[in-house]
Amino acid sequence: MILLYLTVALLLCGVAYLVDRRLNSVGCPPILFIVCAMFTYSSFGHAILYHFDFPIFSGIRTDYIPEALALSIVALAALVFAGAIVLLNLSRKTHISELSASLSSKTHNKAVSTYLLIAVSLVLFAVSVNILAVFAFTGFWDLPKLTKLAYVGPNHYILLLMWMVSFVVCLAQSWRLNAYIIASFLFFSFYCLLMSERDFVFAGLAMALVALKGRAISGTSMVVLPAVFLVLVTLLSGGRGGNFDSSFWISSLSQGSNLFVNTYVIEFIDSGGDMRLGETLLSSIVSTATFGFFEGSGSLSNWLVNSYARGSNSGYGFSLEAEGYLNFGYFGVFVAFFLIGYIVTWAAASTSSDRLMPRLVYVWGTTFLLYQLRQESLTVIKTLWLCIFVAGVVGVLAILLRPVLKRPSNHRRSSAFVEI
């Protein structure tokens, strides 16, 4: 049964690949196949190990593995179905309300977003240099990740989020690579490697896809790019946790946590647990809109820890398909992933226009969404909202600073902004 589900998942990934190939033929960058590939990797790794009698995480409810894989198939089918609908509608002009002028992709907005990204990057660089200086430039690299986090404190994740949001806004505004973005990415990569984080890989993927925009990507490259991306994510995951004591392939397939979360939630409902009936989604929207002032029902990842291992310092994340099932069963899974598939495919198909919103959503999708498939709606909605909010703030600042930012007409364009 596991191999049957895996075959269906791979066939659905193949359809997503065909959708991306068709979109790329008209100048749109790919995303649907990459999302489906990442999702399949996160959902089926432990199931494959279980099928071949390799050890898996003890928390996985093995009796519910078939039902959990069925959830993943429903999610993949919804992603592909949504992408196919966007593809069929390409020939029709879609009327989407434009954002205000403050969100449009204009020269002053690009300048402000670039300054913001540079400022956050310099903060990251200063923190990195300070850490290395305190630890004599060598001792910090080999420390366990938890020790590193204890030294830097909670500001670590705030800095990561600030840089990634600034990066999304800047890259969406520029819609090309320039020296400032590349230099900022190098600062960020150095900090991530120092702190045993892998977030820079997602930003690097976004940069690669934007660099390839408008170009025909060969079928081989469209498969190789996600494959290289997944290998890097796996290597960095194993490296930061010391997970490569067994073979590379066993360690690689052990990275995803979706199967544990999905089987746990299915068992919870099957044992008489209450369905949330949209409560978690409403709570995520309210919490995000009020910047966390109203927390609603709280985080599902915290609920999972308290329910499965109360008092533990461990984190298990969550999964979007488990949240959909917890609210409305299989219907909730389909609707959630249909919306995700439609939004990201629409964004990719609309990036050729001069509107900022599709580009912003596209870069957000490649920078944030790919790893947030293993989290909950609260995290997904929050990061998208932050990107939109910061883009709005950048637009307002661009208006206020227009007299300062206005350049003489004979001013030569900086070579740093030459497209790569």
Side-chain angles (χ1 to χ4, degrees), residues 296-307:
S297 59
S299 167
L300 282 172
S301 59
N302 291 338
W303 168 80
L304 178 63
V305 171
N306 292 332
S307 177

Side-chain angles (χ1 to χ4, degrees), residues 99-331:
L99 295 177
S100 64
S102 64
L103 273 180
S104 61
S105 182
K106 297 186 180 298
T107 301
H108 298 320
N109 300 48
K110 295 175 185 178
V112 174
S113 62
T114 301
Y115 295 147
L116 175 62
L117 180 62
I118 292 173
V120 178
S121 300
L122 289 175
V123 172
L124 284 177
F125 181 71
V127 171
S128 302
V129 171
N130 177 68
I131 291 173
L132 291 176
V134 170
F135 285 84
F137 291 91
T138 56
F140 195 79
W141 291 98
D142 297 327
L143 292 177
K145 182 178 179 181
L146 292 179
T147 305
K148 295 179 180 180
L149 291 177
Y151 177 78
V152 178
N155 290 334
H156 166 68
Y157 288 110
I158 296 176
L159 284 173
L160 286 180
L161 182 61
M162 286 177 59
W163 188 91
M164 294 180 74
V165 170
S166 302
F167 168 80
V168 168
V169 174
C170 185
L171 187 57
Q173 290 277 10
S174 301
W175 202 234
R176 66 187 63 186
L177 300 188
N178 57 55
Y180 300 121
I181 292 176
I182 294 173
S184 297
F185 172 73
L186 293 176
F187 284 150
F188 182 65
S189 300
F190 179 78
Y191 179 78
C192 285
L193 290 171
L194 182 65
M195 295 299 298
S196 302
E197 296 287 0
R198 61 184 180 180
D199 302 71
F200 72 95
V201 179
F202 297 90
L205 176 65
M207 291 170 61
L209 292 171
V210 169
L212 293 171
K213 70 182 187 301
R215 305 176 186 177
I217 304 175
S218 68
T220 302
S221 298
M222 197 172 288
V223 174
V224 169
L225 184 62
V228 171
F229 166 74
L230 290 175
V231 168
L232 285 174
V233 169
T234 300
L235 288 172
L236 290 167
S237 299
R240 68 180 183 169
N243 296 327
F244 288 139
D245 297 330
S246 56
S247 74
F248 171 78
W249 294 109
I250 294 177
S251 299
S252 300
L253 293 172
S254 300
Q255 296 302 312
S257 60
N258 288 32
L259 191 62
F260 160 60
V261 179
N262 293 349
T263 56
Y264 186 86
V265 169
I266 293 172
E267 182 188 56
F268 171 78
I269 297 297
D270 194 46
S271 302
D274 294 331
M275 299 187 76
R276 299 299 180 88
L277 302 177
E279 177 188 354
T280 65
L281 179 60
L282 180 61
S283 174
S284 298
I285 295 173
V286 172
S287 176
T288 300
T290 59
F291 294 95
F293 186 78
F294 295 104
E295 295 187 359
S297 59
S299 167
L300 282 172
S301 59
N302 291 338
W303 168 80
L304 178 63
V305 171
N306 292 332
S307 177
Y308 173 71
R310 182 179 295 274
S312 171
N313 292 325
S314 300
Y316 303 99
F318 210 72
S319 77
L320 290 174
E321 65 268 35
E323 182 175 2
Y325 187 82
L326 186 61
N327 281 278
F328 298 109
Y330 285 99
F331 177 76

Side-chain angles (χ1 to χ4, degrees), residues 31-32 35 74-86 281-282 285 320 324 328 330-348 361 364-365 369 373 377 380-381 384:
I31 190 171
L32 184 64
V35 171
V74 170
L76 276 171
L79 286 171
V80 173
F81 183 58
I85 289 179
V86 173
L281 179 60
L282 180 61
I285 295 173
L320 290 174
F328 298 109
Y330 285 99
F331 177 76
V333 177
F334 186 87
V335 171
F337 278 82
F338 179 87
L339 290 174
I340 291 172
Y342 192 92
I343 289 171
V344 297
T345 311
W346 162 81
V361 172
W364 164 82
L369 180 64
L373 293 169
S377 63
V380 175
I381 296 173
L384 179 57

Side-chain angles (χ1 to χ4, degrees), residues 368-379:
F368 280 107
L369 180 64
L370 288 179
Y371 72 86
Q372 288 178 346
L373 293 169
R374 295 172 53 186
Q375 299 185 27
E376 57 188 290
S377 63
L378 175 63
T379 308

